[in-house]
Amino acid sequence: MTGATVQQYVNAGYAKAASKIGNTYSQYRPASATAPAISSATLVTASLPAYFDPQVNFPADNPRQYGKAALKAVIDPTAVKPGDYLVGPERTYFVASIQDLMPVLVVYANESVTIERTVSNQNVGILPYGGERPSLMTPVLGSWPASVLLKGKKEKNPTGLGSDVPQTEMEILLPYAPGVSPMIEPADLLTLSTGIRYAIENVELTDLGYRLRASMVIT
């Protein structure tokens, strides 16, 4: 028996288990970085069975915990690709990684984010105001679900005012789909669906996708 044969049996086992214990999810596959990730244009199927668990133990006895975004999915690994979104009645996940013989790794997306980049003025001589302006912003990522969770220690109060509170860094996880995902850079501006804005400070890109650290923009 070869490794490829074992993988076929594993895939079939996950697919059968998902059909028995999973719920039905709609599957979306983003086609453009600057367009919404979830729309009628990106729908792959509306009836993909999947089950999510922090450990994939049977019986399932590992409820989700605070600050833990990554889960393992009982799902047919041949039906999904990294970067796919799975949308259910209550929760949205994205596929982070598909590894041989392993459960599919997914991330719970609790927010929707957009990312923009300031375009610097390349003219010479006397220049107009160079701060943030809508006319100088270019889209990088358009309305993609992401994991946005508290991370790190409190930072020093940026204004020194007694009524202000120290900031806490946020950790943002986003999928990386080759050929679709943009190259996110430090200093890009990230906006939540609630309108709260963050400045991206650090960018890490691995085979699991993007991990960003950001702080709230204070104006």
Side-chain angles (χ1 to χ4, degrees):
M1 182 175 291
T2 65
T5 303
V6 173
Q7 185 65 60
Q8 290 177 359
Y9 280 118
V10 170
N11 292 345
Y14 279 129
K16 186 173 183 179
S19 69
K20 298 295 184 181
I21 66 173
N23 294 318
T24 299
Y25 287 81
S26 296
Q27 177 187 11
Y28 296 85
R29 185 166 293 160
S32 169
T34 55
I38 296 175
S39 69
S40 59
T42 62
L43 179 66
V44 176
T45 178
S47 57
L48 182 66
Y51 171 80
F52 303 96
D53 187 272
Q55 298 295 334
V56 188
N57 288 348
F58 297 99
D61 58 358
N62 293 281
R64 290 195 308 114
Q65 303 177 33
Y66 285 109
K68 304 293 184 181
L71 299 96
K72 300 179 182 72
V74 177
I75 192 173
D76 182 0
T78 65
V80 294
K81 293 182 178 181
D84 283 0
Y85 281 96
L86 305 173
V87 181
E90 297 181 352
R91 291 187 172 86
T92 297
Y93 304 88
F94 68 79
V95 177
S97 177
I98 303 173
Q99 303 174 38
D100 291 346
L101 307 181
M102 300 291 178
V104 173
L105 183 68
V106 301
V107 172
Y108 168 50
N110 63 319
E111 253 292 358
S112 182
V113 305
T114 59
I115 298 178
E116 298 173 297
R117 182 172 299 150
T118 300
V119 178
S120 60
N121 197 317
Q122 301 298 318
N123 296 327
V124 297
I126 299 176
L127 300 177
Y129 171 73
E132 292 178 22
R133 288 186 295 167
S135 61
L136 294 178
M137 304 298 290
T138 183
V140 174
L141 188 73
S143 190
W144 281 36
S147 168
V148 182
L149 298 174
L150 292 170
K151 197 73 173 181
K153 299 179 180 180
K154 289 183 178 180
E155 298 180 355
K156 186 178 179 181
N157 185 328
T159 64
L161 299 176
S163 60
D164 286 342
V165 295
Q167 296 183 74
T168 301
E169 271 190 331
M170 306 298 287
E171 181 177 76
I172 297 98
L173 304 180
L174 279 162
Y176 180 77
V180 177
S181 296
M183 292 307 298
I184 302 172
E185 300 177 357
D188 286 349
L189 294 177
L190 181 147
T191 305
L192 305 185
S193 62
T194 57
I196 299 175
R197 307 184 77 191
Y198 291 87
I200 297 174
E201 299 173 348
N202 301 103
V203 179
E204 177 185 74
L205 177 58
T206 71
D207 58 349
L208 302 181
Y210 277 109
R211 183 167 66 162
L212 314 174
R213 292 291 177 88
S215 292
M216 188 182 299
V217 174
I218 302 295
T219 57

